[in-house]
Amino acid sequence: LPLLLTPGPLSTAPEVRAAANHDWGSRENDFIELTDRLRRRLVALAGSRELVAVPIQGSGTFAVESMLGTMVPPTGRVLILVNGSYGRRMVEICRRIGRSYRVLECEEDCVPNTSALERLLSKDPLITHVAVVEVETTSGIQNPLAEIAQTVFSAGRRLLVDAMSSFGALTPHHDVVPYDALAASSNKCLEGLPGLAFVIAKKDALSAAVGSAPSLSLDLHDQWQAFEKNGQWRFTPPTQIVAALDRALDLLEAEGGTKARTLRYRNNLSVVRKGMDELGFRAFLPEHLNAPIIATFHPPPGEFDFEAFHRELLALRFAIYPGKLTTKPSFRVGCIGQVFPSDMRDFVNAAAAALDRCRDGEMRNLAYRSAKKDGRVVL
Ligand SMILES: *Cc1c(COP(=O)(O)O)cnc(C)c1O
């Protein structure tokens, strides 16, 4: 099986997968305690007692949708900062659930402009919330969350963060970025298994959001109330995935916490950027904007068939992602999960070999096509 250099699902530790090898009764005390411990550990990572953690069944988007639907009241309006597809996904969610929204968009290789944000907020008093993606996994760009938060709070508005691909590694302490709510999932920097997401919200803001959600299953307030009432999930929980995430948090602690994890990811990124550059793959982002989560690369000059490259890499046991940029062909290499700088070095070697094989394949194709044209090949 390949090593996943993809930002979710990603490569996990054997201990984490082993923790899922057990059946739990969801209404039994053991599981209630497990859920309770997990919720407390998530709050501890976020760093403030004003917060509560509300797990949600499903992938990360379920948490983002529950956050927007519950925290933005039907009478509210959310300004969504967009510089990639996850920002656009929040726009699509608001359109579907009928929340009033506005969009402040910039290019995929630029970060949101805080002066423009400030102007928009002062011009539109109906805006109650600002929603932003901390690391846009489309490109890997790091949005300046602390600076954006400052602007939002100075204007007296509330902040909602999609911290899906950053929570557990980069997310600043709640003292620095006092958001109303933040959405993330088990299967990115926390290196758990996929299928469990969560929102971390300020208790007072969540209490005030009673009856706000347009969805039953994604009502964050009701989900929270169920946990508070008897420690149980409203609907069938992904029991094994909950247990695996608890184990993944042990491994995060053993590694030295979020700082140590970020450092490992940073080393992964720098190995892959440098190695790919030497092979002729230019990075889409300058180094200072590239969060240590995922790197986006341009195809090398000349002919390049991503499908063939992907296939060759897979044969060498590495899985990477196609690009997600709207304007340019690209592909992405994830730096998160149970992968280490030595894996990244192996990946760069595999990429060199895959590139050679693609070029050989192309030469053969060219030779074949021209031979066929000249009538030297009979089918
Ligand atoms: C992965 C991710 C999501 C959620 O995607 P799912 O496929 O639903 O897990 C949302 N936002 C960002 C920034 C992400 O990286």
Side-chain angles (χ1 to χ4, degrees):
L1 287 177
L3 186 70
L4 302 181
L5 299 182
T6 55
L10 41 66
S11 306
T12 54
E15 296 94 314
V16 169
R17 297 192 298 275
N21 193 15
H22 184 81
D23 294 321
W24 299 77
S26 70
R27 308 209 180 279
E28 308 310 327
N29 271 337
D30 283 358
F31 188 71
I32 289 173
E33 275 166 27
L34 173 61
T35 299
D36 188 57
R37 179 169 67 244
L38 178 66
R39 291 183 59 220
R40 279 186 281 111
R41 295 181 92 176
L42 292 174
V43 168
L45 274 178
S48 161
R49 294 222 201 114
E50 278 183 90
L51 298 169
V52 290
V54 187
I56 312 264
Q57 300 91 332
S59 84
T61 304
F62 291 63
V64 175
E65 187 158 344
S66 82
M67 172 175 78
L68 289 167
T70 308
M71 305 309 286
V72 181
T75 53
R77 172 174 292 175
V78 57
L79 172 62
I80 303 166
L81 307 183
V82 175
N83 58 348
S85 61
Y86 291 102
R88 279 191 291 278
R89 188 174 296 176
M90 293 203 283
V91 174
E92 176 63 8
I93 289 170
C94 288
R95 193 183 70 73
R96 292 285 196 106
I97 67 177
R99 284 296 184 268
S100 171
Y101 65 87
R102 296 196 63 175
V103 177
L104 181 62
E105 184 158 4
C106 65
E107 297 294 322
E108 288 171 332
D109 57 353
C110 294
V111 297
N113 178 317
T114 41
S115 317
L117 171 62
E118 197 176 346
R119 279 196 300 280
L120 235 168
L121 290 177
S122 73
K123 270 207 316 237
D124 187 346
L126 294 181
I127 294 171
T128 51
H129 293 74
V130 174
V132 62
V133 180
E134 183 176 18
V135 173
E136 231 325 332
T137 325
T138 306
S139 62
I141 199 167
Q142 165 107 52
N143 285 327
L145 192 57
E147 204 182 306
I148 290 166
Q150 269 312 314
T151 309
V152 172
F153 299 124
S154 309
R157 317 302 168 86
R158 293 162 178 275
L159 184 67
L160 305 175
V161 184
D162 171 350
M164 204 63 60
S165 61
S166 46
F167 189 82
L170 296 170
T171 308
H173 201 279
H174 192 255
D175 289 348
V176 185
V177 180
Y179 49 80
D180 262 17
L182 164 158
S185 88
S186 56
N187 189 231
K188 296 214 174 164
C189 302
L190 295 180
E191 300 186 358
L193 304 183
L196 174 63
F198 54 89
V199 175
I200 294 177
K202 262 173 83 177
K203 212 179 285 178
D204 58 354
L206 189 53
S207 300
V210 57
S212 162
S215 157
L216 172 71
S217 55
L218 297 179
D219 187 330
L220 197 65
H221 178 273
D222 283 6
Q223 183 93 345
W224 172 51
Q225 282 305 300
F227 288 124
E228 294 293 317
K229 203 172 89 218
N230 57 14
Q232 295 184 13
W233 295 62
R234 272 191 309 165
F235 309 122
T236 305
T239 47
Q240 286 85 352
I241 311 301
V242 174
L245 181 56
D246 189 53
R247 189 75 184 98
L249 293 179
D250 294 341
L251 299 193
L252 175 60
E253 274 171 24
E255 185 171 356
T258 56
K259 283 214 176 76
R261 182 153 293 180
T262 311
L263 188 64
R264 171 162 61 89
Y265 291 170
R266 221 173 261 297
N267 289 335
N268 288 347
L269 176 71
S270 93
V271 170
V272 79
R273 278 185 65 115
K274 188 161 171 291
M276 293 300 273
D277 189 74
E278 282 163 9
L279 297 181
F281 293 98
R282 298 281 165 267
F284 173 67
L285 293 172
E287 205 149 7
H288 72 281
L289 289 180
N290 200 164
I293 303 296
I294 191 167
T296 298
F297 294 99
H298 296 294
E303 287 241 353
F304 180 71
D305 175 357
F306 176 74
E307 291 304 321
F309 184 61
H310 183 260
R311 215 171 30 244
E312 296 294 351
L313 271 174
L314 210 53
L316 297 167
R317 301 196 318 109
F318 287 97
I320 61 170
Y321 262 10
K324 232 175 189 287
L325 302 179
T326 41
T327 50
K328 297 185 183 81
S330 62
F331 64 90
R332 297 177 297 159
V333 181
C335 306
I336 63 178
Q338 276 293 295
V339 293
F340 299 83
S342 59
D343 296 312
M344 297 319 247
R345 276 187 282 277
D346 291 347
F347 165 75
V348 171
N349 291 333
L355 194 59
D356 281 346
R357 287 197 205 172
C358 290
R359 293 205 163 129
D360 288 350
E362 260 162 44
M363 298 303 258
R364 273 198 304 277
N365 268 342
L366 269 175
Y368 177 79
R369 273 199 301 259
S370 75
K372 202 170 131 192
K373 211 171 89 206
D374 298 347
R376 279 183 281 130
V377 170
V378 185
L379 284 175

